[in-house]
Amino acid sequence: MKFMLIMRAVDQAAVDAFEKTDFEEIIAAMGKYNESMINAGVLADGAGLSDASEGAVVDFSEDDPVVTDGPYGELRELFNGFWIVDVSSQEEAIEWAKRAPLGAGSQIEVRRVTGPEDFPQDNEWIQKEQEWVAEGKLAGN
Amino acid sequence: MGRRGEARRQLTRSAEAVSRTVEATWRIEAAKIIAALSRYVGDFGLAEDLAQEAVAEALRQWPESGVPSNPAAWVTTVAKRRAIDNWRRRDRLDDRVAMIASEMEIAQNAAVDEPPWDPDTIDDDVLRLIFISCHPVLGREAQLALTLRVVGGLTSEQVARAFLVPVSTIQQRIVRAKKKLAAAQVPFELPPAEDRAERLSSVLGVLYLMFSEGHVAASGPDWMRPELAMDALRLTRVTAGLLPGEPEVHGLVALMASTAARFPARVRPDGRPILLADQNRARWDRSLIHLGERSLRTALALREARGAYTVQAQIAAVHAEATDVASTDWTRIAVLYSDLNRAAPSPVTELNRAIAIAEADGPLAGLRVVDELAASGALATFHLIPSVRGELLSRLGRAEEARAEFERAADLATNEREREVLRAKARRPAGP
């Protein structure tokens, strides 16, 4: 099963630490971490995100979507990157998350990537949809 | 900090949660822990015993004390302490014990987040572990059980579930395997140059069998056991990381990844299988397809003469490239099966070539190849020959002959799900 490890800065401490540390050092630590997951045969995917100040937000609170430039909201919302690991349990995903080279002010959220098994099987429409999918009647997923 | 501590306690409070954490840690670290201990005590079997005892100790202590910040170091230290206790009990306090004791003291003074093994030798030690677990003095069943438990970090219970046998059977297999290795005085070292190719092929054979056993379960109620196949893929990736210059290891990763990519599309919600022709390719696992492509490129770049796994990966890649069965390049697949038959001659490969020829040049052309194969007497008790003959006869409109072949195939099949599919085919009207 797959889990997404979502890396977040939740506190100014993470931003300060990042600015104080040599960028090459950070890249080396992350590279080592990624390599260890590749060599263990569990890393499926991953990406880092550019600075939130370069991003934009589409907000659906109003009748029409409102678009604002980043940086946005509170710091705790800053989502900096992710890994997808293919492992046997949530505990294993957590164990990998614990090994990430991060410090104070950083957080990793561990979330399972859903699959077909997540749909309620007793619902008539879900059953139909599963059959359509199984029989290749839907082009997408 | 307070909040973080609280969260940690919450997650590790119950014995059940601790045991899941121990299992997870063990999957990640078992190979390194056992490899490092084997180097310390100079005996693989003893190292494995000590590590298992230390894990049992963790399961007793951690619900009270909490999970240590470096679980692998904790387990390794406890295992080493037990090694010394054992020796002391046997009144054999020698130089080696003294050395380990002093190393332990040094280790305890070192930073807690340091890995409990030598980073310069650990990769070699894990490789030694892989080679010893797949050693040719062991039978296939023992090799599989040992590799999954020692290299893969599965518990005996998990290995037993994977092979649908009682836990005691697996435990006996492991004990006997370790005894056999000890009796044969198999050293904990990399195979000498002259044995290397043969020993590597033994390792890949074990990993391939592990994958196949999960991919099409040979017996039992389930069509496949994907967890076992995914463990095989994981361990093959580990091996590829340790032997980056061996083309066939990458070929095997490519083969497994391309095959495993189709798992999500292979089974209906009720467990019934979906044949390739009816699979929704949108459900194939993209990340595994990419892994397959990357590994195949690596394998092909490493050596011109392709091994059997690399050719099979190429076949899987041709399937993966096609958007459906009709647009598959069957002529290319037939050629690749000829290549495979040269690299590793097998009647099953010939049967697959017949299927590809039937798709490329029509059922009659395919039937000729199958009939030649049947006439040779190979695979006489294998359900796939009548199954394929039935399919081709059905496409040719020879309904009665097809029905008889499907019935025969169903009688020979050992997988219950597969048998159901064949019975259903025997009942359905003939047609293309």
Side-chain angles (χ1 to χ4, degrees):
Chain A
M1 58 187 99
K2 286 184 178 157
F3 288 83
M4 186 184 267
L5 312 185
I6 302 164
M7 175 171 50
R8 282 207 182 87
V10 294
D11 190 280
Q12 188 61 32
V15 181
D16 294 346
F18 183 83
E19 280 166 1
K20 259 187 260 159
T21 316
D22 181 24
F23 192 53
E24 281 195 11
E25 226 172 84
I26 294 172
I27 291 180
M30 277 296 171
K32 252 188 184 167
Y33 176 57
N34 293 339
E35 190 184 37
S36 72
M37 289 197 284
I38 288 169
N39 288 342
V42 296
L43 189 62
D45 207 344
L49 302 183
S50 73
D51 201 279
S53 62
E54 296 168 27
V57 173
V58 181
D59 188 321
F60 292 88
S61 310
E62 308 296 325
D63 287 345
D64 294 315
V66 176
V67 181
T68 52
D69 293 340
Y72 47 84
E74 285 181 54
L75 199 58
R76 66 172 58 246
E77 293 166 18
L78 291 185
F79 168 19
N80 297 325
F82 72 93
W83 297 268
I84 291 181
V85 292
D86 202 342
V87 292
S88 65
S89 65
Q90 174 165 314
E91 286 76 14
E92 194 185 346
I94 291 171
E95 285 307 312
W96 280 111
K98 278 159 70 179
R99 288 163 168 74
L102 299 171
S106 293
Q107 246 181 25
I108 289 183
E109 186 180 344
V110 179
R111 300 274 296 271
R112 189 168 59 80
V113 178
T114 57
E117 68 280 5
D118 291 291
F119 299 99
Q121 297 300 319
D122 54 349
N123 180 293
E124 175 196 0
W125 285 100
I126 294 295
Q127 280 172 5
K128 273 190 187 176
E129 200 176 304
Q130 295 269 301
E131 284 297 315
W132 296 337
V133 170
E135 286 157 15
K137 286 180 181 164
L138 297 181
N141 193 351
Chain B
M1 188 61 215
R3 270 182 59 193
R4 218 173 127 202
E6 223 172 81
R8 171 176 292 169
R9 271 198 300 281
Q10 267 175 11
L11 266 180
T12 58
R13 191 175 294 158
S14 78
E16 199 199 324
V18 167
S19 98
R20 285 200 303 266
T21 300
V22 172
E23 271 180 19
T25 305
W26 190 239
R27 272 177 81 88
I28 298 172
E29 313 278 17
K32 287 178 181 160
I33 291 173
I34 297 171
L37 284 171
S38 298
R39 174 179 281 267
Y40 279 121
V41 300
D43 182 311
F44 158 74
L46 174 60
E48 214 267 341
D49 285 343
L50 293 168
Q52 295 292 343
E53 285 169 23
V55 168
E57 190 62 39
L59 287 169
R60 278 191 297 274
Q61 285 195 21
W62 292 0
E64 283 300 315
S65 65
V67 177
S69 62
N70 189 340
W74 190 98
V75 169
T76 309
T77 305
V78 168
K80 284 183 188 170
R81 199 172 289 153
R82 276 174 181 266
I84 292 166
D85 288 349
N86 280 348
W87 277 316
R88 277 199 184 124
R89 264 202 299 278
R90 281 189 257 153
D91 201 20
R92 274 182 43 194
L93 187 59
D94 59 13
D95 288 350
R96 185 157 64 187
V97 177
M99 188 189 79
I100 292 173
S102 79
E103 268 175 9
M104 267 182 57
E105 270 171 20
I106 294 166
Q108 275 164 350
N109 294 335
V112 282
D113 53 352
E114 285 296 306
W117 42 72
D118 181 350
D120 293 332
T121 57
I122 190 63
D123 282 356
D124 257 8
D125 289 343
V126 172
L127 201 51
R128 288 184 169 106
L129 200 62
I130 293 172
F131 276 114
I132 209 169
S133 302
C134 301
H135 198 280
V137 300
L138 303 172
R140 271 294 190 234
E141 286 184 337
Q143 290 172 331
L144 284 165
L146 206 56
T147 304
L148 276 168
R149 200 169 89 160
V150 171
V151 187
L154 270 67
T155 63
S156 292
E157 287 75 15
Q158 290 166 332
V159 180
R161 263 204 305 279
F163 292 106
L164 310 173
V165 297
V167 180
S168 58
T169 306
I170 293 298
Q171 284 164 339
Q172 280 162 16
R173 268 181 210 168
I174 303 265
V175 169
R176 278 202 296 266
K178 287 194 291 194
K179 274 189 187 150
K180 212 163 180 183
L181 288 170
Q185 296 186 310
V186 173
F188 185 69
E189 61 185 29
L190 295 175
E194 67 269 23
D195 295 345
R196 190 182 160 95
E198 199 196 323
R199 294 285 304 278
L200 179 61
S201 115
S202 174
V203 169
L204 299 186
V206 170
L207 295 168
Y208 179 71
L209 188 66
M210 193 188 291
F211 185 82
S212 329
E213 183 63 21
H215 168 216
V216 178
S219 57
D222 291 321
W223 174 255
M224 50 180 196
R225 297 195 284 276
E227 297 82 11
L228 182 59
M230 295 313 279
D231 272 324
L233 172 57
R234 170 171 69 97
L235 297 181
T236 310
R237 291 176 76 182
V238 169
T239 311
L242 296 168
L243 293 168
E246 292 290 346
E248 274 286 86
V249 188
H250 296 287
L252 187 54
V253 171
L255 172 60
M256 290 178 180
S258 320
T259 310
R262 295 188 221 148
F263 287 174
R266 282 187 59 192
V267 189
R268 274 172 230 274
D270 64 4
R272 284 178 300 143
I274 306 170
L275 302 176
L276 180 63
D278 305 321
Q279 287 175 13
N280 178 4
R281 289 160 195 243
R283 295 178 73 81
W284 287 3
D285 186 315
R286 292 282 122 197
S287 65
L288 286 177
I289 288 182
H290 291 149
L291 172 65
E293 288 168 353
R294 276 199 311 275
S295 303
L296 181 56
R297 276 200 300 276
T298 309
L300 291 172
L302 279 168
R303 195 188 295 156
E304 213 168 311
R306 294 157 300 154
Y309 297 123
T310 306
V311 178
Q312 290 179 76
Q314 285 184 295
I315 293 167
V318 175
H319 282 300
E321 274 161 26
T323 49
D324 54 40
V325 169
S327 69
T328 304
D329 186 350
W330 289 103
T331 306
R332 168 109 178 104
I333 288 185
V335 170
L336 285 168
Y337 274 119
S338 294
D339 295 348
L340 181 58
N341 229 346
R342 270 194 301 277
S346 145
V348 176
T349 302
E350 189 61 7
L351 187 61
N352 280 313
R353 191 174 73 89
I355 296 168
I357 286 175
E359 295 289 345
D361 304 330
L364 201 56
L367 194 60
R368 267 187 228 116
V369 181
V370 182
D371 287 346
E372 266 174 45
L373 187 61
S376 77
L379 302 177
T381 60
F382 194 39
H383 68 282
L384 280 182
I385 287 202
S387 165
V388 171
R389 282 200 90 232
E391 191 64 43
L392 298 178
L393 287 165
S394 165
R395 287 192 205 174
L396 288 165
R398 290 152 68 174
E400 275 314 305
E401 290 170 83
R403 194 187 319 280
E405 289 294 307
F406 283 132
E407 292 288 1
R408 206 155 69 82
D411 290 342
L412 292 171
T414 51
N415 180 295
E416 284 162 36
R417 293 282 187 189
E418 215 165 2
R419 195 176 294 161
E420 272 172 42
V421 171
L422 290 164
R423 293 248 154 81
K425 279 185 174 179
R427 286 192 298 272
R428 91 186 167 190

